[in-house]
Amino acid sequence: MVEIVGVRFKKVYKIYYFSPEGQEFFCGEHVIVETARGVEFGTVAIANKKVPEESITSPLKPVIRKATAEDEKAYIKNAEKSREAFKIALEKIAKHGLNMKLVDVEYTFDCGKALFYFTADGRVDFRELVKDLATVFHTRIELRQIGVRDEAKLLGGLGACGRNLCCNSFLEEFIPVSIKMAKEQSLSLNPTKISGACGRLMCCLKYEQDTYEELNTGMPGTGSLIRTPDGDATVIGIETLKRSVTVKFLDPPAIKSYPLDDIKILKRISNKADEIAIEELKELESD
């Protein structure tokens, strides 16, 4: 077993393990740690704890110290510098005519590096921009292209449910979501109804997916031919949570609903319109 302390550098972001170096830390405390990017200011998310050695990547970098009052002031000052750098960078991007959207600027704690996060539709040649920024800020410059989901996580906002975005509230990492999840949950395949603020599929599609997969077992698809206590009919709708189906009779014309246990599937038929819609909406799955 190895003793670790878990540190987070941004709200609702991944927790990284560090070696406490014999020091005791408590959740919520601010600490100064050594990272691959340099010296950083972070918040303890997991107090001293022993974990299996195979669950860590050795060697662990150390926690240098608990943050002092001076460290806190330096962190606040860096945040102010980041806001100023953001304004200047916007002017430089416009000057170079680059097709990119600046999302955030961040300084490492020791100001050894300034990171500029941006989104763009494709590759951007920002070499001249980097030189220009280095001349202004006199530090190492790193431009990092991120996806639209990362942008939403950084900036935050409100979802269609009226609550803060999941990615900015509690999701440390993005979970895979697909168009088929929306179809299995009988949701409209209208992009405006199943897309989040980022323009990609809503993360919450995943939350109930396991339940729907279980409940959909044995359910006929729309268009399938089934046998009911009143004769053969065609499925025109399904109620997954109620485990029932709505069917249409041709002779005499009628529409009725039946529990799943009262029907027998004669011929399964996939909904071609849904399959076409799924293919057309595949781009909503990407970052």
Side-chain angles (χ1 to χ4, degrees):
M1 302 289 281
V2 178
E3 187 175 19
I4 60 92
V5 58
V7 178
R8 181 179 275 141
F9 299 103
K10 287 185 178 180
K11 174 189 172 185
V12 202
Y13 270 72
K14 185 178 178 180
I15 296 173
Y16 295 89
Y17 289 168
F18 291 86
S19 171
E21 299 294 297
Q23 305 173 80
E24 187 175 7
F25 298 96
F26 299 95
C27 289
E29 285 187 321
H30 292 150
V31 292
I32 306 300
V33 297
E34 181 185 338
T35 72
R37 298 196 316 182
V39 178
E40 293 278 27
F41 181 99
T43 304
V44 175
I46 301 175
N48 294 55
K49 176 183 177 181
K50 289 193 175 182
V51 298
E53 193 166 350
E54 58 269 21
S55 68
I56 67 169
T57 302
S58 296
L60 288 177
K61 290 189 175 293
V63 175
I64 299 173
R65 64 177 183 274
K66 293 182 181 180
T68 64
E70 290 301 315
D71 293 331
E72 301 274 357
K73 290 178 182 178
Y75 179 73
I76 294 172
K77 185 177 179 180
N78 284 350
E80 293 173 354
K81 287 177 62 177
S82 296
R83 288 190 286 271
E84 290 300 318
F86 188 94
K87 296 176 184 177
I88 295 172
L90 284 178
E91 295 173 0
K92 297 297 182 183
I93 290 170
K95 171 188 169 184
H96 289 275
L98 297 175
N99 186 23
M100 56 193 286
K101 177 186 177 183
L102 187 65
V103 176
D104 193 23
V105 179
E106 176 188 7
Y107 274 95
T108 55
F109 179 73
D110 57 4
C111 291
K113 182 189 290 185
L115 295 98
F116 296 78
Y117 299 94
F118 71 94
T119 60
D121 291 334
R123 294 179 63 87
V124 179
D125 184 357
F126 47 68
R127 287 173 294 183
E128 292 303 316
L129 174 62
V130 170
K131 293 177 183 178
D132 206 351
L133 293 175
T135 301
V136 175
F137 299 113
H138 304 291
T139 189
R140 289 168 57 201
I141 302 295
E142 181 178 328
L143 268 73
R144 187 173 295 179
Q145 186 169 356
I146 61 176
V148 289
R149 280 183 168 154
D150 295 301
E151 178 185 8
K153 187 175 182 68
L154 275 171
L155 300 181
L158 297 178
C161 58
R163 298 174 65 90
N164 289 332
L165 298 181
C166 296
C167 58
N168 187 253
S169 303
F170 61 89
L171 285 181
E172 295 182 2
E173 297 183 14
F174 292 111
I175 49 180
V177 286
S178 68
I179 292 293
K180 285 189 176 181
M181 291 180 182
K183 180 177 180 296
E184 287 190 351
Q185 295 173 38
S186 300
L187 298 176
S188 167
L189 296 184
N190 183 333
T192 61
K193 295 184 180 296
I194 56 176
S195 299
C198 60
R200 298 295 184 263
L201 291 176
M202 294 187 293
C203 293
C204 55
L205 289 177
K206 178 65 176 176
Y207 301 164
E208 298 176 356
Q209 180 59 20
D210 292 343
T211 299
Y212 273 94
E213 285 180 0
E214 181 180 344
L215 293 178
N216 277 330
T217 302
M219 293 287 281
T222 304
S224 297
L225 181 64
I226 65 170
R227 180 155 293 163
T228 76
D230 300 310
D232 295 350
T234 302
V235 176
I236 60 173
I238 62 173
E239 288 284 349
T240 303
L241 299 181
K242 292 182 179 179
R243 299 285 283 169
S244 67
V245 297
T246 301
V247 302
K248 180 179 181 180
F249 293 92
L250 295 180
D251 189 18
I255 293 177
K256 293 184 178 181
S257 293
Y258 297 90
L260 184 62
D261 293 339
D262 291 351
I263 68 167
K264 179 181 179 180
I265 301 173
L266 301 178
K267 184 178 181 181
R268 291 183 180 273
I269 298 177
S270 60
N271 191 319
K272 294 296 182 182
D274 280 354
E275 291 179 4
I276 293 172
I278 287 173
E279 286 303 313
E280 291 177 344
L281 298 175
K282 280 289 185 181
E283 63 181 22
L284 295 179
E285 298 177 6
S286 63
D287 287 339

